[in-house]
Amino acid sequence: SFCGSGIRSMQFRTRLGSTSACRAADSDRSHDDILKTLNHGRSALRKLRCGVGATWLSLTIVCAAASLGLGEWLAYAEPFYHHSITAWRGVCIEVLFDLRIVLPLLAPLDDDLSFMRCVLAIEAGFFAFIRGRLLFHLCSDDSAVWSSLSAKTKVSSLAYLGRGCLAIAYLLLAMCQRTPWSMQRWVQLYPLVYALPDALQRLCMVFAGFTPWHDVDNLSLISQAVMIYVALRPQAIHSLQASLRRWMETFGATRAAAAVACLIGQVDPKDALRQARQRFRSIDVSSLTLDDLQSNSADPGLDKRAEPTRLGYCDAFVSHSWHDDAKAKWEALQAWRFGFRAKHGREPQIWFDKLCIDQRHIETDLRGLPIFLSGCKSLLILCGPTYLSRLWCIIEIFTYIMMGGNAADIEVALVRKAENTQKDMEAIIAGFTDFDVSRCDCFNPNDKARILTVIGAAFGTLGSFNGIVAKVLGQIQSENPTLVGMFSATEGGP
């Protein structure tokens, strides 16, 4: 009857409204969870910045105070002590001064341009003050200081002023760098620029006959040799930085959470979430074609095929390597699609980089990557022979887990060419069993530099990050039936 159909229609609308309300509530909870994770990351990064900066700057102050204290004591005590004792104290002063030069450069995190520029400006100002004071003294009109100096002292003074000008010029050029990774490269070489001319000057003074070899501060030369070695082989400093970051975790400065905060940059978490909600898009898998997987060439019109989507309503974030075979990826994606459709009775909505990133605002969309990942119900890995050698793929897996995703929600679809199945299988297995992030690469060198800067800021070394990612991959391997079956078949093979 009409009345009965009206009641059934009303019940249907009630159920539909209830379902929509539940989904809206779930979405709100998802937004709250994302914001909580981002705020936690920002807090961890702030603690890391303060802890690392305070540690190295405190050591700098200690070295500077010790250097000044020894200098004052030496000036007072020199008449009462043997020459060798005062010489040793002079060497200690120089070593402490060298440390005072280098330690502040370790205070900023790798991604902190402003703090790094501030430290470099202070260094340049310090050199300018010291050299300016000497120059003013030498050029003073009311004294014949310069004419009264010996040839050795004149040469030493000119070399000293020249080294200072070189250091100032280098520091100013380093400050002009526009990206954290390029500035880091300049900063890493600064000890070489500081120590090498000083060591060469001492040796040249010996060979020129101005200074007997037994009067050269050999320990100072050793100190400068260490600085040169550190500049050319910075692994020791990186290991020290990694140890400091591990210690900082006891104060809540979680490195993984800090890495997520580094990815979104200096944007406030609320603003980052707001921007990501506006820019989050997805596409129906049925509208994808094989041509879409053939290359990653940019096309500003491609993103129009994707549609705006609420966070939490996208079925899967598709992570893949553009270096894997396109046809094999297409077949793996279609197999996953048919399985999803059989289970849910509808086509899946996915986030696919080429179609869901606004090519006109790539940087903005990439900053939203952690939020886009957490806005998807699962992570679909199209795992081919090159997948675990691509740095962006590793970052996507790492970020998905760090943003609260579960390894059980990560689905793996194996990408293997029909004519090369066994070789591709061996490459995939090797990627899991012998993973090393230092061997990963990016299509765009700037992307690689940016990611390595994030890793350096949060973890100190690639090795520390490598250990965490290896654990994540091991968890994925043990949780995913496809990978379990693949490794079992390999271990049980002939």
Side-chain angles (χ1 to χ4, degrees):
S1 66
F2 176 79
C3 182
S5 64
I7 292 174
R8 285 194 298 270
S9 177
M10 185 182 297
Q11 290 172 341
F12 174 77
R13 287 196 300 270
T14 302
R15 287 196 301 270
L16 182 61
S18 176
T19 303
S20 300
C22 290
R23 292 185 70 182
D26 290 340
S27 180
D28 289 340
R29 282 195 296 272
S30 175
H31 296 168
D32 291 341
D33 291 341
I34 293 172
L35 187 58
K36 182 178 179 180
T37 303
L38 294 178
N39 282 325
H40 173 62
R42 181 56 56 89
S43 174
L45 182 59
R46 189 182 301 114
K47 290 178 181 178
L48 201 60
R49 289 194 197 282
C50 293
V52 172
T55 298
W56 293 120
L57 292 179
S58 297
L59 289 174
T60 301
I61 293 172
V62 169
C63 289
S67 176
L68 291 173
L70 277 174
E72 292 295 329
W73 180 86
L74 188 60
Y76 169 78
E78 187 172 7
F80 307 102
Y81 286 91
H82 190 270
H83 173 72
S84 62
I85 296 178
T86 55
W88 272 93
R89 280 166 175 72
V91 169
C92 290
I93 290 172
E94 289 201 23
V95 171
L96 288 170
F97 183 82
D98 289 346
L99 286 174
R100 192 220 65 76
I101 293 294
V102 175
L103 290 179
L105 303 178
L106 305 177
L109 297 190
D110 291 5
D111 68 327
D112 198 337
L113 270 176
S114 299
F115 189 13
M116 207 174 298
R117 283 198 177 105
C118 181
V119 170
L120 293 174
I122 292 173
E123 288 282 326
F126 173 78
F127 272 105
F129 173 75
I130 296 296
R131 265 59 175 184
R133 189 174 62 174
L134 173 63
L135 189 62
F136 177 79
H137 176 67
L138 294 176
C139 298
S140 178
D141 293 333
D142 58 350
S143 64
V145 176
W146 178 255
S147 58
S148 64
L149 296 177
S150 64
K152 170 188 173 181
T153 306
K154 288 181 179 179
V155 171
S156 297
S157 299
L158 290 174
Y160 181 75
L161 291 171
R163 295 199 328 264
C165 292
L166 175 64
I168 292 170
Y170 187 89
L171 292 167
L172 293 176
L173 287 173
M175 289 173 59
C176 294
Q177 302 305 304
R178 294 188 176 185
T179 60
W181 46 90
S182 61
M183 189 177 291
Q184 271 296 321
R185 286 195 293 267
W186 280 72
V187 169
Q188 286 175 0
L189 290 175
Y190 173 65
L192 177 66
V193 174
Y194 170 76
L196 185 59
D198 191 12
L200 290 176
Q201 177 197 335
R202 293 172 188 270
L203 295 176
C204 288
M205 294 288 285
V206 172
F207 294 130
F210 287 112
T211 305
W213 180 255
H214 58 80
D215 284 347
V216 176
D217 292 332
N218 294 322
L219 286 179
S220 295
L221 287 177
I222 294 174
S223 170
Q224 289 152 7
V226 170
M227 292 177 69
I228 294 171
Y229 177 81
V230 167
L232 297 177
R233 298 290 300 274
Q235 290 85 349
I237 293 296
H238 292 166
S239 299
L240 197 60
Q241 292 278 43
S243 300
L244 179 58
R245 283 155 172 75
R246 283 194 295 272
W247 176 70
M248 285 298 301
E249 288 206 349
T250 60
F251 300 95
T254 310
R255 292 171 293 168
V260 172
C262 286
L263 282 173
I264 68 171
Q266 302 297 322
V267 183
D268 181 83
K270 288 184 178 179
D271 292 335
L273 181 57
R274 177 181 54 78
Q275 291 176 11
R277 290 173 68 176
Q278 294 172 352
R279 308 183 75 85
F280 188 51
R281 308 172 76 83
S282 67
I283 188 168
D284 191 314
V285 178
S286 62
S287 64
L288 282 177
T289 66
L290 176 58
D291 288 340
D292 293 327
L293 277 68
Q294 292 288 356
S295 73
N296 63 342
S297 56
D299 183 349
L302 283 177
D303 63 292
K304 295 178 181 177
R305 291 169 54 189
E307 57 187 29
T309 306
R310 295 181 66 181
L311 295 174
Y313 283 72
C314 181
D315 295 305
F317 184 106
V318 178
S319 178
H320 68 106
S321 166
W322 284 106
H323 287 69
D324 284 331
D325 183 72
K327 185 178 178 183
K329 277 196 297 184
W330 171 257
E331 292 171 352
L333 180 61
Q334 292 305 308
W336 174 82
R337 169 198 172 192
F338 295 143
F340 183 96
R341 195 168 62 185
K343 182 178 180 180
H344 299 279
R346 61 177 177 84
E347 291 287 353
Q349 291 287 125
I350 63 169
W351 189 96
F352 188 74
D353 51 5
K354 184 177 180 179
L355 301 175
C356 296
I357 288 179
D358 186 346
Q359 301 294 331
R360 294 155 298 187
H361 304 91
I362 293 178
E363 284 296 323
T364 303
D365 274 4
L366 289 180
R367 278 203 305 268
L369 182 66
I371 302 172
F372 295 162
L373 279 158
S374 59
C376 298
K377 297 175 184 176
S378 65
L379 175 65
L380 172 61
I381 295 176
L382 301 182
C383 189
T386 71
Y387 179 81
L388 290 176
S389 68
R390 311 310 298 173
L391 199 51
W392 268 121
C393 298
I394 301 305
I395 288 295
E396 286 166 358
I397 295 174
F398 169 80
T399 305
Y400 181 78
I401 295 295
M402 294 307 117
M403 287 296 293
N406 297 315
D409 294 328
I410 297 178
E411 302 180 72
V412 179
L414 298 179
V415 176
R416 298 163 292 181
K417 290 186 285 188
E419 68 277 11
N420 209 19
T421 300
Q422 185 59 35
K423 188 176 180 180
D424 287 351
M425 285 274 288
E426 292 172 358
I428 293 171
I429 292 171
F432 277 92
T433 57
D434 191 30
F435 172 77
D436 187 353
V437 72
S438 65
R439 295 198 293 263
C440 294
D441 210 347
C442 278
F443 174 79
N444 186 337
N446 288 332
D447 284 350
K448 181 176 181 179
R450 177 191 173 196
I451 294 173
L452 293 180
T453 297
V454 168
I455 294 173
F459 294 91
T461 64
L462 288 179
S464 299
F465 178 73
N466 204 60
I468 291 180
V469 173
K471 290 180 181 178
V472 171
L473 293 178
Q475 190 179 3
I476 294 172
Q477 179 184 330
S478 62
E479 293 272 356
N480 191 273
T482 302
L483 294 177
V484 171
M486 182 182 69
F487 279 88
S488 299
T490 304
E491 293 170 359

